[in-house]
C-alpha cells in the first residue's frame, strides 16, 4: 500500500509542478495564487497544503530537486577529468539534463523566472570552473576567465532553450566544447 501512496504523491507533485511552470510562463510567481494553481492542476487546495507551505515552497523544492541532480552530474563527470571525462563529455551530460528538464529550465531562465535560481546555477558552475582554471592560470586571469565562461555558457543555454526546434544535446556540447577549447578565433 505504501508504494501506491508514494506513486500518488509523486503524481500529485508532478502535476502541481507542471501547472506552476505553465502559470510562470505567463506571469510572475508573486501573482500566482494557490487557488489558481490548484484549479489548473485540478487538485484540492488541502492536498496542495499537505505537501507545500505556499507557492514559493513548491518552487524552492522544484529548484532543489534540479540542483541535486545537477550536482550529481557534475560530481560524476568532473571529479576525475583525467579518467576520460573531457569537457565535451561533461557538456553532453549537462545538455541531456537540460533537455530532460527543458520546460522548467526554460521557465526559470525566462522573463518570469527566478533570478536567484540563475545566480545559484552560476555560483555552482563557477566554483567548479574556478578549480579547473586556477590550476592553469593566475588568480586575476582566472577570475575573468571564469566570469566569461559562465556568462557565455548561460547565454548559450538560454538561446538553446528558446529554440522551437533545438539542436541535439550532442551537437550543443560539440559547439560549446569548441568555443571553450578553441575560442572564438577573433584576432
Amino acid at each position: 500500500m505504501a508504494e501506491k501512496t508514494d506513486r500518488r504523491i509523486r503524481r500529485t507533485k508532478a502535476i502541481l509542478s507542471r501547472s506552476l511552470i505553465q502559470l510562470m510562463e505567463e506571469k510572475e510567481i508573486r501573482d500566482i495564487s494557490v487557488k489558481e494553481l490548484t484549479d489548473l492542476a485540478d487538485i484540492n487546495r488541502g492536498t496542495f497544503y499537505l505537501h507545500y507551505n505556499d507557492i514559493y515552497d513548491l518552487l524552492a523544492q522544484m529548484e532543489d530537486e534540479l540542483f541535486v541532480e545537477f550536482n550529481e552530474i557534475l560530481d560524476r563527470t568532473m571529479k576525475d577529468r583525467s579518467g576520460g571525462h573531457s569537457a565535451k563529455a561533461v557538456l553532453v551530460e549537462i545538455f541531456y539534463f537540460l533537455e530532460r528538464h527543458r520546460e522548467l529550465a526554460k521557465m526559470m531562465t525566462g522573463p518570469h523566472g527566478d533570478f536567484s535560481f540563475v545566480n545559484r546555477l552560476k555560483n555552482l558552475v563557477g566554483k567548479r570552473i574556478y578549480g579547473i582554471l586556477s590550476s592553469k592560470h593566475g588568480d586575476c586571469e582566472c577570475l575573468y576567465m571564469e566570469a566569461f565562461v559562465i556568462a557565455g555558457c548561460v547565454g548559450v543555454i538560454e538561446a538553446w532553450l528558446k529554440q522551437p526546434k533545438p539542436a541535439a544535446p550532442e551537437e550543443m556540447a560539440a559547439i560549446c566544447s569548441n568555443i571553450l577549447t578553441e575560442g572564438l578565433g577573433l584576432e
Side-chain angles (χ1 to χ4, degrees):
M1 184 68 178
E3 186 178 320
K4 289 183 180 180
T5 302
D6 289 345
R7 191 176 327 153
R8 282 183 280 187
I9 290 170
R10 285 193 309 269
R11 182 181 170 278
T12 298
K13 288 183 172 188
I15 290 168
L16 287 167
S17 295
R18 284 192 306 269
S19 296
L20 182 60
I21 290 168
Q22 184 178 341
L23 289 170
M24 284 184 71
E25 287 173 352
E26 302 166 8
K27 57 172 81 175
E28 302 288 331
I29 190 165
R30 68 178 175 266
D31 298 326
I32 299 171
S33 69
V34 171
K35 180 177 181 355
E36 181 180 23
L37 175 67
T38 55
D39 285 350
L40 178 62
D42 197 24
I43 290 177
N44 186 292
R45 282 178 47 162
T47 302
F48 174 88
Y49 286 114
L50 282 175
H51 305 291
Y52 307 105
N53 296 323
D54 55 24
I55 298 285
Y56 296 99
D57 185 32
L58 168 57
L59 181 62
Q61 288 187 37
M62 290 167 60
E63 289 178 8
D64 288 344
E65 288 174 15
L66 269 183
F67 275 99
V68 165
E69 186 178 346
F70 190 68
N71 263 314
E72 288 171 357
I73 289 168
L74 294 178
D75 286 343
R76 185 178 68 252
T77 59
M78 293 183 78
K79 184 171 264 180
D80 183 18
R81 296 227 6 238
S82 64
H85 287 103
S86 66
K88 184 177 176 186
V90 174
L91 289 164
V92 166
E93 293 261 358
I94 290 171
F95 276 100
Y96 269 115
F97 165 78
L98 290 167
E99 186 175 63
R100 280 191 306 278
H101 302 288
R102 181 174 201 73
E103 292 306 314
L104 180 56
K106 182 178 176 181
M107 181 272 301
M108 294 299 246
T109 59
H112 303 293
D114 184 0
F115 293 112
S116 67
F117 170 83
V118 175
N119 288 331
R120 188 174 167 190
L121 182 63
K122 286 179 178 180
N123 289 335
L124 174 64
V125 173
K127 287 177 187 174
R128 304 291 181 123
I129 290 173
Y130 189 85
I132 294 167
L133 295 174
S134 65
S135 66
K136 299 176 184 178
H137 305 280
D139 283 341
C140 184
E141 185 179 7
C142 182
L143 173 72
Y144 295 115
M145 289 176 76
E146 173 193 346
F148 185 81
V149 168
I150 291 170
C153 287
V154 169
V156 167
I157 288 168
E158 289 175 337
W160 181 68
L161 290 170
K162 290 177 184 175
Q163 297 304 308
K165 293 184 181 182
E170 293 90 353
E171 185 179 350
M172 291 306 302
I175 291 168
C176 289
S177 179
N178 187 40
I179 292 169
L180 291 172
T181 58
E182 306 218 6
L184 299 174
L186 300 176
E187 293 184 35

